[in-house]
Amino acid sequence: MINKFVASPEAALADVPNGATILIHGFGNAGMPAELIDALIAQGARELTIVNNNAGNADTGLAALIGAKRVRKILCSFPRQADSWHFDRLYRAGEIELELVPQGTLAERIRAAGAGIGAFFTPTAYGTKLAEGKETRRIGERDYVLEYPIHADYALIKADRADRWGNLTYRKTARNFGPLMAMAAKCTVVQVRETVELGEIDPEHVVTPGIFVHRIVRVPASLKRAA
Amino acid sequence: MINKFVASPEAALADVPNGATILIHGFGNAGMPAELIDALIAQGARELTIVNNNAGNADTGLAALIGAKRVRKILCSFPRQADSWHFDRLYRAGEIELELVPQGTLAERIRAAGAGIGAFFTPTAYGTKLAEGKETRRIGERDYVLEYPIHADYALIKADRADRWGNLTYRKTARNFGPLMAMAAKCTVVQVRETVELGEIDPEHVVTPGIFVHRIVRVPASLKRAA
Amino acid sequence: MKKLDRKQLAARVARDIPEGAYVNLGIGLPTLVADFLPKGREIILHSENGVLGIGPKPAPGEEDEDLINAGKEPVTLLTGGAYFHHADSFGMIRGRHLDFAVLGAFQVSARGDLANWHTGAPDAIPAVGGAMDLAVGAKKVLVMMEHLTKSGESKIVERCSYPLTAARCVDRIYTDLAVIDVKPDGLHVVDIVDGLDFQELQRLTGVPLKKPLIAA
Amino acid sequence: MKKLDRKQLAARVARDIPEGAYVNLGIGLPTLVADFLPKGREIILHSENGVLGIGPKPAPGEEDEDLINAGKEPVTLLTGGAYFHHADSFGMIRGRHLDFAVLGAFQVSARGDLANWHTGAPDAIPAVGGAMDLAVGAKKVLVMMEHLTKSGESKIVERCSYPLTAARCVDRIYTDLAVIDVKPDGLHVVDIVDGLDFQELQRLTGVPLKKPLIAA
């Protein structure tokens, strides 16, 4: 019997090695897998490359991972926020590498990894600092920049519901990067609010099919930290 | 008030010019917008370029459009079927041009058009007849072929439900190319089994958001031909 | 002259958004446009983080941390709205499905180059978000900004000194002093605030302007 | 010797598909494998046209024209299945998410090249479907075919004479005579049908074979 449920965030992340590339779901706090990140901090892996839209807020979640100096490099679209002090401090000290990627290009590069696309031409960032040194091409009447996929070892995702095959639904704008990141990692680890019996998710409403999901941990909303 | 409903298939397709490129949804009969195709035949536009996974079955729908000699060129992955006699006859007579595209490349080229991607490298067809003359590149450990988007003037789609903003759901494997084609055309025309009030489609369950849809015609199942 | 305040500027932009338009409002000043869209006109607001049909701010206590806009502020969803993932969301943007993007700016050049993401200061932490996607993707890019910097320099310039967001992307500029169209043959003034004449607007602006066909 | 019939061949392939595998069964002979998957083993079947979790054929009269497989035959959906669109479906294929694709073949070369889409005959109407995507995308490509053509020639060849579907993609070949692994150092016989010895198999096959470690 296929059963992708695992007992705890700690068990789900026990094998993360130093130097791993990890996609972390979430746009700000919406979709951020806080308990999985806590487990990653506790697990101790270092020299990580992290992919997230942002670079953490305040002192929890991704910000705590960065603050604990576990992150060698981050790929994101919007690191600078009022409360991104952990990232700001390490960035100014030269202790964390930043690859700034336009948000749509970030999403598309993650999708490309999941969908087996080797590279793609996007119009975004053409003629800007963020395309410096990159291959460009005029196709039709638009100019494009060549961008490459972002493959990862792990994806850490927060979804709403999951069944034991790994079919997922999300909640409102907490969907954001989740379905893309789930496709792009060798091992996709998901925390969900609720686990359900097979068949409780209508096959028309599955957002991430189980083929993309490897490990699922239930984190009931009642256990959630006061954010 | 936004209202994308139109009165009839004929009204929805009145402005199709000769020489238009038209995406036609459907994998075999599942998702094929038969009544819209009938209206296109009645409308009379000629020299069409058609994109569909197949090249028509038996004597109705796309096969009838081809049989009526309205199609100059077809892009598809699988034209040859036991009952594709209209296509077969015109193809052997040199009266229809065929661009054979692997199925996944066909889907991805349509998506690329909808998503503003200028071109992409795919591993499919590398080293085969279908990549002859195309640009190739080794990226990492795989070889890729460069493929370009398929932009269209119209998309003809069969969906299950629609509201007046154009939000769509599909039914089972009749989803297939629909959500992709809806993104890739200047004018997306949809026939649906049922029209519903705004809000009846759960925002979590919308498959094609209304931004991609321009005209909707209700074709109740009771009016469907005996297939 | 009567400079427009932030609300008046937002109302001026809102007036130009037609029924049925799909619109992305950038973070900051452009977000204010939502409050001034004419009642009874159905306009569908998009946010990069995967939502179409954004409604008014939630009542206090009704916020949902899973329903936010690109500025990470709590929002509501209109009846008829839809959720989708980031690749679909930016497919809408890059694929030219949005009718309008309304964006803030540091500078706009006479040929429509936009600079709105980075001051270029060596110690600044760069952050781009969806700005570059919106600038290249929307059918029409509308810029909202103050006409002058705090030190009185024109933000409409011959050539942007700040790093570009995208080249030749801006269609129309709304400032607290005027509305100006960016066209292939130059900058065309559409209207000017009361009490300011074309000559004075030209004097304040860094680059040549063309008079409106009907004098303001 | 006891050549395997179509059902026996399908059962032989089915035996090798492990619990939890995601599998695409090609049109024709490979589709038959579904009927022989061991009961109690959960295996999830994928079809190119946007479905995971294909179940048994529907009972007569229970067919749904909107629920078909890639061969356009009516199917059912298992509890736990899911629908999705073609770009996601081929993302699964190209992105190496499928554990196995089971494909028919005209020819397989000694280095694992596959020819299964086109005879190359000048008057043949070419049709490729999802074959090229599956051949390059699945983690393991299993081929099912008769060992010999009707005229007695080996379909395992030094170099394919038919147009290729993909180069160096086949991992294992199941024929009515033997199971053969394609490895970097050549073709390794895994097992042979009763009544056929290695020497005779070698004689029938177009290219050099390596003996199984434990004689069949």
Side-chain angles (χ1 to χ4, degrees), chain A residues 97-132:
Chain A
E97 184 184 343
L98 169 66
E99 180 175 340
L100 190 71
V101 184
Q103 196 171 143
T105 303
L106 188 68
E108 194 69 10
R109 289 177 63 189
I110 296 167
R111 180 193 178 271
I117 298 300
F120 59 91
F121 285 99
T122 178
T124 302
Y126 178 83
T128 75
K129 266 172 78 86
L130 296 189
E132 276 173 15

Side-chain angles (χ1 to χ4, degrees), chain C residues 16 31 35 43 48 74 82 93 97 101 130 132 137 148 176 178 182 188-189 192 198:
Chain C
D16 288 352
T31 303
D35 297 340
I43 288 165
E48 295 96 298
I93 296 172
H97 302 283
M132 290 186 177
L148 306 175
D176 48 354
V182 183
H188 291 248
V189 176
I192 306 180
F198 178 82

Side-chain angles (χ1 to χ4, degrees), chain B residues 1-2 4 114-115 164 167, chain C residues 19 22 42 80-81 83 94 97:
Chain B
M1 197 178 87
I2 300 169
K4 299 183 180 179
R164 65 179 172 84
N167 293 307
Chain C
E19 168 91 359
Y22 291 90
E42 275 195 333
Y83 302 113
R94 266 191 327 259
H97 302 283

Side-chain angles (χ1 to χ4, degrees), chain C residues 147-170:
Chain C
H147 204 94
L148 306 175
T149 64
K150 280 173 190 159
S151 54
E153 287 150 359
S154 173
K155 293 167 81 167
I156 301 173
V157 295
E158 189 55 42
R159 178 178 282 272
C160 294
S161 57
Y162 291 136
L164 289 194
T165 306
R168 295 179 184 275
C169 65
V170 177

Side-chain angles (χ1 to χ4, degrees), chain B residues 1-4 111 113-117 163-167 182-185 198-204 206-207 209-214, chain C residues 19-22 40-44 46 52-53 77-85 87-88 90-99 139:
Chain B
M1 197 178 87
I2 300 169
N3 184 2
K4 299 183 180 179
R111 180 192 177 271
I117 298 300
D163 62 33
R164 65 179 172 84
W165 282 11
N167 293 307
M183 298 168 66
L198 216 56
E200 284 190 51
I201 303 176
D202 186 322
E204 302 280 9
V206 170
V207 177
I211 190 171
F212 297 126
V213 173
H214 304 92
Chain C
E19 168 91 359
Y22 291 90
R41 225 185 258 177
E42 275 195 333
I43 288 165
I44 299 181
H46 169 270
L52 270 169
L77 190 75
L78 296 181
T79 298
Y83 302 113
F84 34 85
H85 62 52
D88 282 348
F90 281 85
M92 290 176 196
I93 296 172
R94 266 191 327 259
R96 295 214 182 286
H97 302 283
L98 286 180
D99 297 300
K139 288 181 197 164

